[in-house]
Amino acid sequence: MDPAVPGPFGAIENGAIGVIDGRIVQVGRRSEIAGSRARRVEALGGAWVTPGLIDCHTHLVFGGNRANEFEMRLQGASYEDIAKAGGGIVSTVSATRAASEQELVDQALPRLDALMRGGVTTIEIKSGYGLDKKTELKMLRAVRALGRGRAVRVVPTLLALHALPSDYKDRREAFVRLATDEIIPAAKAQGLAEAVDAFCEGIGFTPAEVQEVFEAAAAAGLRIKLHAEQLSNLNGAALAARYGALSADHLEHLDEAGAEAMARAGMVGVLLPGAFYALKETCKPPVDLMRKHKVPMAVATDCNPGTSPVLSPTLMLSMACTLFGLTPEEALAGMTLNAARALGRENEIGSITTGKVADLCVWDVTRPAELCYWIGHPGPQRRLFGGIEA
């Protein structure tokens, strides 16, 4: 599927893909490529081939899980009740701090494997459950280790402002200083992160606090992303746009000014239907507004232990359509080309285009829309990473 090809999905019927040394060198109809320099020709029996799926927003590395809280909520416990019992993000932070780097890797691998079985060939993984320098860097090292242990491209992001730790309850400014003056420079110096993220929200951090983190990220030469407009509108997306952010994510409460700012900055809006579903939200992201201003829309799992314990990328494709009203073509673009844009990798991955890496999925479907039609399609028949089946 090539975005330069006119028509639905950029699809080429009776197509063929030429791959040399892990990169795509030819794309076209079989009749056009027949007799080429290929050393080996492999027939796929008319199967549909898409770019490898890209999960551009996850919190895959963490200690423990919060299944017990899920049960408590179903039995009527409030968020406050759970927090008083030592639950919520506090429990994940405690478990993450207590785990060794190898234990974090071992716990994350089954989750990563599940996403890979669903077709993921590139995944972004955030830190953010350490809330101190030592653990944030430990998490990022675990993220890097995951990329070395599997046939998948891992993109690490430092979630510098996620939540306020209890020991900084009355020292917000000091915690922001910790992030800007110590954690961000250390992550950059050790080559552990490609971007910096924050949670701009009433229960998170103010725009002024986020701006300080953006300044520190820019000074370190790191790209910027932002959790924005999930529960309210603090104009986080517009703030991120002023700093040339790659994306703003969630966006349920995005307004027109924010959409316009994102469009001018060339940002991607990352939609996270798993969190919307798990939190039983009712305010949907303004998809029509993003269409109006031509803001590219990506789709991701937001895999995390508290609000989106999702391990199926194809389920997110389906939910993006049924819950948010995306077309199947928009949803698939949201987990391929637009997801690549959200990671700053659109020149390397995200479409079946000459010169890009041959990350591909081969699907047993009769038309691409089936990837969204089947609720939680189990995944591709075959998954190629850099031209090699894995």
Side-chain angles (χ1 to χ4, degrees):
M1 295 178 174
D2 186 338
V5 175
F9 297 94
I12 300 174
E13 299 279 354
N14 298 312
I17 304 165
V19 177
I20 295 178
D21 295 332
R23 289 194 176 266
I24 298 168
V25 296
Q26 290 177 296
V27 181
R29 292 187 180 277
R30 279 183 292 176
S31 58
E32 298 168 348
I33 295 181
S36 70
R37 48 189 171 150
R39 293 189 294 270
R40 179 170 63 90
V41 176
E42 187 168 349
L44 298 179
W48 279 95
V49 181
T50 70
L53 300 185
I54 300 168
D55 197 350
C56 66
H57 181 131
T58 83
H59 306 254
L60 195 77
V61 170
F62 54 85
N65 68 59
R66 280 147 63 184
N68 62 319
E69 296 176 23
F70 174 70
E71 292 182 285
M72 291 171 68
R73 284 196 301 272
L74 293 176
Q75 293 164 5
S78 67
Y79 182 85
E80 184 178 359
D81 294 334
I82 293 171
K84 286 180 178 178
I89 193 172
V90 172
S91 65
T92 298
V93 170
S94 296
T96 303
R97 288 179 176 179
S100 69
E101 181 180 325
Q102 188 58 51
E103 285 171 337
L104 291 177
V105 172
D106 291 343
Q107 290 180 45
L109 278 173
R111 299 189 281 267
L112 178 60
D113 288 343
L115 292 169
M116 290 170 61
R117 285 194 297 272
V120 168
T121 53
T122 296
I123 184 169
E124 185 256 20
I125 305 177
K126 305 178 191 294
S127 66
Y129 291 120
L131 309 186
D132 61 26
K133 180 179 176 181
K134 177 182 176 182
T135 314
E136 290 295 313
L137 298 179
K138 177 178 69 176
M139 290 185 70
L140 291 170
R141 288 194 301 271
V143 171
R144 287 290 194 191
L146 287 169
R148 293 191 294 269
R150 291 291 189 272
V152 65
R153 186 174 296 97
V154 173
V155 181
T157 295
L158 169 63
L159 181 46
L161 295 182
H162 191 195
L164 190 68
S166 57
D167 48 332
Y168 282 86
K169 181 180 178 181
D170 300 314
R171 299 185 296 138
R172 293 183 66 92
E173 184 177 348
F175 182 68
V176 175
R177 291 278 77 74
L178 175 67
T180 59
D181 298 353
E182 297 187 41
I183 301 177
I184 291 174
K188 171 64 176 181
Q190 296 177 34
L192 294 176
E194 296 185 13
V196 173
D197 200 344
F199 182 34
C200 187
E201 190 54 73
I203 62 172
F205 294 88
T206 69
E209 291 166 336
V210 168
Q211 184 169 344
E212 292 185 53
V213 162
F214 284 175
E215 293 282 357
L222 295 171
R223 302 299 300 269
I224 291 164
K225 300 171 71 69
L226 187 65
H227 291 60
E229 274 75 276
Q230 180 184 9
L231 306 174
S232 62
N233 184 2
L234 296 185
N235 300 309
L239 171 63
R242 291 202 295 274
Y243 283 85
L246 290 167
S247 71
D249 305 29
H250 286 291
L251 299 176
E252 282 86 341
H253 293 266
L254 180 72
D255 62 14
E256 186 145 21
E260 289 175 343
M262 290 179 67
R264 287 194 299 270
M267 289 171 59
V268 175
V270 180
L271 308 182
L272 305 171
F276 177 89
Y277 168 82
L279 291 171
K280 300 181 180 179
E281 294 290 342
T282 56
C283 180
K284 300 179 181 182
V287 167
D288 285 340
L289 199 57
M290 286 187 271
R291 287 177 179 142
K292 173 184 174 182
H293 293 285
K294 296 182 171 55
V295 176
M297 291 179 286
V299 177
T301 65
D302 192 19
C303 177
N304 75 74
T307 61
S308 189
V310 172
L311 296 175
S312 169
T314 53
L315 177 60
M316 296 301 93
L317 292 175
S318 178
M319 283 188 172
C321 296
T322 57
L323 298 181
F324 293 165
L326 268 64
T327 66
E329 186 172 2
E330 288 174 326
L332 187 55
M335 268 204 160
T336 52
L337 183 58
N338 289 342
R341 288 171 174 160
L343 299 178
R345 301 289 186 95
E346 66 273 23
N347 293 328
E348 283 288 300
I349 55 176
S351 64
I352 302 175
T353 305
T354 300
K356 291 192 178 184
V357 178
D359 290 352
L360 305 168
C361 286
V362 181
W363 303 89
D364 183 18
V365 295
T366 58
R367 54 189 298 159
E370 286 187 47
L371 302 182
C372 305
Y373 164 73
W374 294 110
I375 301 174
H377 187 286
Q381 285 180 308
R382 300 171 63 182
R383 174 185 171 279
L384 281 74
F385 180 69
I388 297 173
E389 190 160 0

